Structure formats: C-alpha cells, structure tokens
Amino acid sequence: MANTTKRASVFDKLATKEKVVVSKSRQSVALIQGEIDKNIDMKQQLEELIEQNEQKSFSSSPQSLQAASWFNTRIRDQLAMIAERNIQLEQEREKLVAELIKAERRRNQKQEKAEELLAKARQERQAKADQSLSELVSGRRR
C-alpha cells in the first residue's frame, strides 16, 4: 500500500515536470507566432511601399530611374528575406507544436497513472480497514 502511494507520488511529480515542459513549449510557440505576426506586418508595409513607389511618377532622368530601381531592389530583397524567415519560423513552430502535443500526452498519461495508483491505494486501505473491522467484530462475538 505504501509502495503504491509512493509510486503514485512519483508519477504525480513526473506529470508536474511534464507540465513545466508543456508550459515552456507553449511560451516558445507564442513567441514564434509573435515573430511570424511581426514579419507579416512588415511584409505588408513593404508591399505598400512598393505600391506607393510604383504609383509615383518619376522624372525620366537617369538618376531618378536609378534611384527608383535601387529602392525597389532593396525592398524586394527585404521581402525575400522576410519570406525565407517566415518559412523557417513556421517550420520551427510546427516542430514545437508537435513536441507540445507529445509532452501534453505524456503528462496526461502520467497524471492518469498517478490517479489510478492513488485509487488503488485507497481501495487497499479501505479493504484493510474493512478486514480489521471484520476481525474486531468477529472477535467480540466469541
């Protein structure tokens, strides 16, 4: 009986440890999602800049055309970097979500095992108490 309670305690502690892992994983996923959201906002702003730049009518001097070309090239380079970064962040987020799901499953299994062992310990205590009571009652009848 004491052994069952001790094992239940161990499983409960392991479940608590997994709960910490789950919490950290959720924080990491939220952090990465925040980065993805920032990148999406920046991408929208850069796309708006490109639109504004295309709508402007530049004089046809070589210097202004060169400046416009330089500006568009830099913005498109930034867009490409943001797109690549978002791909990396999405992959990292997917990996963390998979780990989060596994950790949550492990935590649930350990918690269920702890509850099962505690219920078994309670049943054993109750059976022992019933047996003691039964022996007490039968001893008085004699």
Side-chain angles (χ1 to χ4, degrees):
M1 177 174 68
N3 189 25
T4 307
T5 305
K6 190 181 250 187
R7 286 183 61 213
S9 175
V10 168
F11 276 102
D12 191 44
K13 288 176 183 175
L14 289 172
T16 302
K17 184 179 176 183
E18 289 294 335
K19 188 175 183 179
V20 170
V21 170
V22 166
S23 178
K24 287 181 180 180
S25 293
R26 283 193 177 141
Q27 289 174 347
S28 296
V29 168
L31 183 68
I32 288 176
Q33 186 60 50
E35 285 295 315
I36 290 171
D37 293 342
K38 285 179 190 177
N39 282 347
I40 289 171
D41 289 343
M42 186 170 293
K43 179 183 174 194
Q44 289 173 345
Q45 291 173 1
L46 290 173
E47 288 172 345
E48 288 173 10
L49 280 175
I50 287 175
E51 278 183 37
Q52 291 171 1
N53 193 35
E54 288 173 354
Q55 291 173 356
K56 288 182 183 177
S57 59
F58 290 100
S59 63
S60 57
S61 73
Q63 292 172 337
S64 64
L65 290 174
Q66 186 178 10
S69 173
W70 179 85
F71 183 75
N72 272 338
T73 302
R74 295 296 173 251
I75 290 178
R76 292 190 191 285
D77 288 347
Q78 292 265 327
L79 283 171
M81 286 179 13
I82 288 172
E84 186 64 33
R85 179 74 176 137
N86 269 353
I87 290 170
Q88 292 172 350
L89 288 171
E90 287 287 342
Q91 290 172 345
E92 183 67 23
R93 185 176 61 107
E94 288 173 11
K95 186 175 93 174
L96 284 172
V97 167
E99 288 176 15
L100 173 68
I101 290 168
K102 288 178 186 176
E104 186 69 35
R105 189 176 304 128
R106 286 190 309 263
R107 186 189 72 79
N108 287 338
Q109 290 171 341
K110 289 173 184 166
Q111 189 65 44
E112 288 171 4
K113 185 67 172 177
E115 290 169 3
E116 178 185 311
L117 289 170
L118 284 173
K120 184 178 177 183
R122 274 189 234 109
Q123 287 175 343
E124 289 173 355
R125 277 195 306 269
Q126 186 63 42
K128 190 174 183 178
D130 290 347
Q131 184 180 2
S132 296
L133 183 61
S134 169
E135 289 172 0
L136 250 171
V137 170
S138 65
R140 287 187 180 170
R141 287 186 184 164
R142 291 185 190 169

